[in-house]
Amino acid sequence: MAEYYLGIDVGSVSTNIILMDESNKVRYKKYLRTQGKPIEIIKKGIEDIVKELGEVEIKGVGTTGSGRYLADIIVGADIVKNEITAHAIAGLNFNPNVRTIIEIGGQDSKIIILRDGIVVDFAMNTVCAAGTGSFLDRQAIRLGIDISEFGSLALKSKSPVRIAGRCAVFAESDMIHKQQLGHNQADIAKGLCEALVRNYLNNVGKGKEILEPILFQGGVAANIGIKQAFIEALNMNVEVPPNHDVMGAIGAAILAKEEVKKKGRTNFKGFSIGRLKYNVNSFECSDCSNRCEIVEIKSNNGVLARYGDKCGKWSNIIKKEDSKLA
Amino acid sequence: MSVKVGLPRGMFYFDYFSLWKSFFNNLGVEVLISPKTNKEILDRGVNACVDESCLPVKVFHGHVDYLKDKVDYIFIPKIISIHKREYNCPKHLGLPDMVKNSIKGLPEIIDTEVNLRKSNKFLKKSIIETGRYFEKSDRKILNAFYDALKQYNNYLKMMTTGFISLDVLGKNADMKVIKNIIRKDNNRRILILGHSYNIYDQYINMELVKKLKDFKFDLITAEMIDEKKAREYAKKLPKRMFWTHGQRIIGAAYYLIEEKSISGIIYVSAFGCGLDSVFIDLIERKAKKAKIPFTLLTIDEQTGEAGVNTRLEAFTDMLDWRLKDESNFSTLW
């Protein structure tokens, strides 16, 4: 039976699942839209593996992304890691000399600065999502362009229009205004790409020493218009790894491999989890004025996890051991 | 029944709670401090306060709203300046007026003006003005103050040895302090910077102190650096810093950066803070030159913790990574 490490990246927009072999090669990948239903999508992803590959042996599991703790509860992870570290690990695995990683996801964007194979600096977007994938998604819908064609359309532009990129709301009204003036779609698409890149470099990349080799990772890296805009703005070469859309999951799987080597076994709960039913309840605890929002996840075998409380009253009921029985 | 004065647990409370509480107690006045910030207080504050203000001011409104039916007076001094030739944030200057404008049904507000911009001697006037609400004798008022000041100075001294008030870290007691384990090996120490009301209010910064403790890092705050030391280092700025909080924050940061006694800096800033926009930039540049990692946490009304957790985990991962690689690190850049 084939032996793999499983990496799961549960992001706000997409959930990415990969299987990696002992030599860190990706043997299976799945890019699913999270659509606000992370548990269902994780289950679907796990079931898809069985459907497409049959039973395989999972030697280790790593989770990352904003839903990493949830994924851990459902799947049973050996390591739960933040996206920055996961992306850095995956980037280093692809190119050990990488010195800058640009990562643009659905709701956040990051820059990771590496020197001699270690992370020395990083930044994430602050409060606004203007420079992220969901911003582009939304503007593409407004323009009536399919997001997958957005990049190639932008490349056709001869004189891009300038669009304010500092704030998603301003950008949208600026863009509409330019549309009403009669600019063609290619010029507007290119203008948006440039606005996103400008915003990224001024906000996330502010004050960072961007040096080659540069890797461009995350879902947005599929957009060749953005890649081109980065190349023009930085006047440097920007490389998009072939598995750019699942780099977080790859990083998680690599970390899981290391972790399992150390402890000798995996926490993976088995492929049966795809067939379990999960119920999620949330309620507001009224025992004190903090009014914490408690989330409770139940499966056929009882309560799997409760979290969200500040005092530990609800989350402490569940012992880690019990939750692994499922 | 004795008179009751309410102290809202917000803004300057985190700097002066020890002084204020002892002063009123010395005058035989009962003090009621609003509870730690919680969701209800935040909601009340957001509803009451003008929309464009920063998070800590909104939270402060929530604390006042909580106290308003429970006390005879609420103490909201108008702290214009606490140091010669220096000012505070304009929101401090207008705080009692903002509160009075936005919240209905308030008890009497003790909004004594404290303005030491020209000279320290104006402090006496402010003390007596506040004390007069409860005591006729100026001598008794001043004695009550000097005694409180002694306790306050003791508290400040304790802070400089690495103690953090329990009030900040947990449980209820106000003046009890616990040791903030600062160990000899200082390579796992993070400097937390920001306005006191952002870094010590564990609700609005999502339990930053506890989270960093869980990552086994020692913490140091600007208040733990002796004020004189901080002012000495703040003088290194090309232009004099005229905000008092800035003197402390920038001075402490410069001192610790130059001493190289910290492994990283986390700046906690409320969204839209004008003062912070200046401090952050100055400190980030200095930290960069000294190759000390710096990160910014912007806080606002959000209660989802994923964003803060990701940043903290990534930051501490990076510090661990660098520490593991210390020998390599010196050859970088």
Side-chain angles (χ1 to χ4, degrees):
Chain A
M1 205 182 338
E3 295 178 339
Y4 296 122
Y5 295 94
L6 173 64
I8 305 177
D9 179 352
V10 183
S12 56
V13 173
S14 72
T15 294
N16 315 321
I17 296 180
I18 64 115
L19 291 176
M20 183 188 86
D21 65 16
E22 199 67 40
S23 62
N24 291 2
K25 199 173 268 164
V26 176
R27 305 306 288 265
Y28 172 89
K29 77 172 184 177
K30 198 94 193 180
Y31 183 93
L32 301 160
R33 292 252 160 182
T34 310
Q35 295 172 320
K37 298 177 290 194
I39 296 178
E40 290 308 307
I41 298 299
I42 294 167
K43 271 172 62 181
K44 182 180 164 3
I46 297 292
E47 281 191 312
D48 284 356
I49 294 177
V50 183
K51 264 185 224 155
E52 291 170 39
L53 302 181
E55 286 277 314
V56 291
E57 193 187 333
I58 299 299
K59 292 182 76 185
V61 181
T63 62
T64 185
S66 47
R68 59 188 179 276
Y69 292 104
L70 187 65
D72 171 31
I73 292 163
I74 305 293
V75 182
D78 300 297
I79 193 154
V80 180
K81 222 18 154 187
N82 63 80
E83 305 90 290
I84 306 256
T85 309
H87 272 280
I89 296 283
L92 284 167
N93 179 57
F94 176 75
N95 179 354
N97 300 318
V98 62
R99 291 202 284 180
T100 308
I101 296 173
I102 294 168
E103 197 274 336
I104 304 185
Q107 279 294 336
D108 52 35
S109 47
K110 322 168 180 76
I111 188 164
I112 308 171
I113 305 291
L114 305 101
R115 297 291 183 265
D116 296 338
I118 67 166
V119 175
V120 293
D121 199 5
F122 72 88
M124 282 176 85
N125 58 328
T126 49
V127 278
C128 180
T132 64
S134 44
F135 164 74
L136 269 190
D137 257 353
R138 206 180 137 63
Q139 305 317 325
I141 292 167
R142 266 220 171 263
L143 286 168
I145 310 168
D146 191 83
I147 190 70
S148 56
E149 287 153 22
F150 195 93
S152 44
L153 179 68
L155 290 188
K156 288 184 194 139
S157 161
K158 296 218 167 55
S159 64
V161 296
R162 194 187 193 284
I163 292 168
R166 187 75 187 89
C167 162
V169 178
F170 293 162
E172 191 162 314
S173 55
D174 206 20
M175 185 189 84
I176 292 166
H177 189 67
K178 296 278 155 77
Q179 272 180 305
Q180 311 293 48
L181 288 175
H183 288 285
N184 70 47
Q185 288 210 319
D187 288 345
I188 291 175
K190 175 86 186 191
L192 274 173
C193 291
E194 287 181 351
L196 186 142
V197 166
R198 195 166 52 235
N199 181 40
Y200 176 93
L201 293 175
N202 290 336
N203 176 0
V204 185
K206 193 187 84 175
K208 302 278 180 269
E209 196 186 17
I210 298 174
L211 295 177
E212 290 176 325
I214 303 169
L215 293 182
F216 183 13
Q217 307 179 170
V220 174
N223 187 322
I224 45 174
I226 300 282
K227 181 191 168 190
Q228 188 56 32
F230 267 118
I231 291 173
E232 285 165 19
L234 292 167
N235 200 18
M236 290 185 204
N237 188 34
V238 174
E239 188 179 2
V240 176
N243 288 316
H244 66 87
D245 50 346
V246 294
M247 290 300 264
I250 295 173
I254 295 173
L255 287 164
K257 188 175 108 182
E258 283 169 19
E259 186 66 22
V260 169
K261 289 255 149 72
K262 258 185 272 166
K263 69 177 186 184
R265 54 173 193 89
T266 178
N267 293 341
F268 183 52
K269 294 180 181 175
F271 283 103
S272 62
I273 53 164
R275 295 188 294 274
L276 286 178
K277 243 182 101 64
Y278 295 93
N279 277 318
V280 185
N281 285 317
S282 62
F283 59 93
E284 195 181 74
C285 170
S286 52
D287 289 5
C288 84
S289 44
N290 271 333
R291 306 245 159 199
C292 298
E293 290 154 12
I294 318 293
V295 178
E296 182 182 73
I297 301 178
K298 279 185 184 163
S299 75
N300 312 23
N301 304 349
V303 179
L304 279 182
R306 284 198 194 107
Y307 52 88
D309 47 345
K310 285 190 186 295
C311 67
K313 179 183 157 188
W314 297 98
S315 43
N316 286 348
I317 300 175
I318 313 296
K319 293 277 185 305
K320 190 88 183 155
E321 269 56 50
D322 298 342
S323 69
K324 286 197 189 115
L325 295 173
Chain B
M1 232 186 86
S2 70
V3 197
K4 224 187 248 177
V5 168
L7 291 185
R9 196 188 289 266
M11 303 303 279
F12 265 122
Y13 168 87
F14 292 100
D15 295 287
Y16 293 120
F17 72 92
S18 133
L19 180 72
W20 293 347
K21 193 173 167 238
S22 335
F23 175 60
F24 288 117
N25 284 341
N26 287 345
L27 290 172
V29 178
E30 197 184 327
V31 171
L32 180 68
I33 300 169
S34 55
K36 289 187 176 185
T37 308
N38 53 46
K39 196 198 257 175
E40 191 196 336
I41 285 181
L42 175 65
D43 284 346
R44 286 167 100 154
V46 170
N47 284 334
C49 185
V50 291
D51 190 42
E52 287 297 313
S53 114
C54 64
L55 179 67
V57 167
K58 288 180 182 172
V59 167
F60 187 86
H61 279 66
H63 284 280
V64 174
D65 198 60
Y66 171 90
L67 287 169
K68 69 177 182 188
D69 306 317
K70 301 177 177 67
V71 293
D72 307 299
Y73 299 92
I74 297 179
F75 184 56
I76 312 177
K78 185 189 289 213
I79 305 182
I80 294 175
S81 168
I82 46 176
H83 197 275
K84 206 171 174 184
R85 297 178 67 211
E86 286 174 15
Y87 270 116
N88 288 316
C89 165
K91 280 164 188 156
H92 284 301
L93 275 55
L95 196 57
D97 302 309
M98 275 177 91
V99 166
K100 280 192 257 182
N101 175 60
S102 302
I103 302 177
K104 299 276 165 295
L106 286 173
E108 187 164 352
I109 301 293
I110 305 179
D111 58 353
T112 320
E113 188 174 302
V114 180
N115 189 350
L116 314 181
R117 191 175 65 87
K118 287 191 177 127
S119 160
N120 254 338
K121 69 173 192 267
F122 294 106
L123 180 60
K124 204 166 151 186
K125 189 174 152 276
S126 306
I127 296 163
I128 288 172
E129 200 184 310
T130 310
R132 278 284 167 80
Y133 281 87
F134 315 102
E135 172 63 57
K136 282 190 197 106
S137 152
D138 286 359
R139 191 180 50 83
K140 279 188 186 158
I141 292 171
L142 288 173
N143 282 344
F145 180 80
Y146 291 129
D147 178 75
L149 190 63
K150 218 185 286 168
Q151 294 186 40
Y152 170 67
N153 284 332
N154 282 340
Y155 175 67
L156 291 186
K157 208 180 273 170
M158 266 198 296
M159 290 278 278
T160 61
T161 63
F163 282 79
I164 254 187
S165 167
L166 237 194
D167 183 40
V168 170
L169 288 178
K171 300 297 176 285
N172 301 308
D174 268 321
M175 271 305 289
K176 277 182 213 153
V177 282
I178 62 159
K179 196 160 193 190
N180 171 44
I181 30 167
I182 290 186
R183 292 170 307 207
K184 289 280 185 301
D185 57 79
N186 57 12
N187 59 0
R188 288 183 69 80
R189 189 185 292 173
I190 295 178
L191 169 64
I192 307 179
L193 288 176
H195 289 280
S196 50
Y197 40 82
N198 290 333
I199 59 176
Y200 295 134
D201 188 328
Q202 293 296 296
Y203 183 83
I204 66 175
N205 68 29
M206 299 178 181
E207 299 189 299
L208 175 70
V209 171
K210 186 178 166 291
K211 282 176 183 162
L212 289 173
K213 284 263 166 223
D214 289 346
F215 289 127
K216 306 261 182 306
F217 275 92
D218 286 351
L219 307 174
I220 188 161
T221 66
E223 285 71 27
M224 291 180 192
I225 303 305
D226 182 54
E227 195 190 341
K228 267 194 207 131
K229 195 108 218 161
R231 286 189 172 275
E232 180 190 320
Y233 276 79
K235 280 205 186 105
K236 299 191 175 209
L237 288 171
K239 194 169 167 254
R240 198 174 56 85
M241 170 53 59
F242 53 84
W243 287 309
T244 307
H245 265 131
Q247 285 275 350
R248 197 54 178 272
I249 293 169
I250 293 178
Y254 274 28
Y255 167 62
L256 291 167
I257 290 170
E258 285 191 17
E259 292 279 299
K260 293 216 183 266
S261 57
I262 41 170
S263 41
I265 301 175
I266 296 177
Y267 200 112
V268 183
S269 175
F271 179 61
C273 177
L275 274 62
D276 278 351
S277 67
V278 177
F279 305 164
I280 289 165
D281 216 64
L282 287 167
I283 293 165
E284 193 173 2
R285 283 184 209 183
K286 181 93 173 177
K288 203 178 182 81
K289 266 187 211 149
K291 298 179 175 53
I292 292 175
F294 176 96
T295 197
L296 171 66
L297 286 185
T298 306
I299 52 171
D300 202 51
E301 281 169 44
Q302 72 270 42
T303 49
E305 302 196 4
V308 165
N309 290 348
T310 296
R311 283 163 178 82
L312 288 181
E313 284 173 28
F315 191 71
T316 51
D317 263 2
M318 175 174 75
L319 295 187
D320 282 336
W321 208 342
R322 288 171 68 124
L323 289 169
K324 235 189 282 169
D325 218 89
E326 199 83 87
S327 51
N328 238 339
F329 177 58
S330 52
T331 60
L332 292 179
W333 284 325

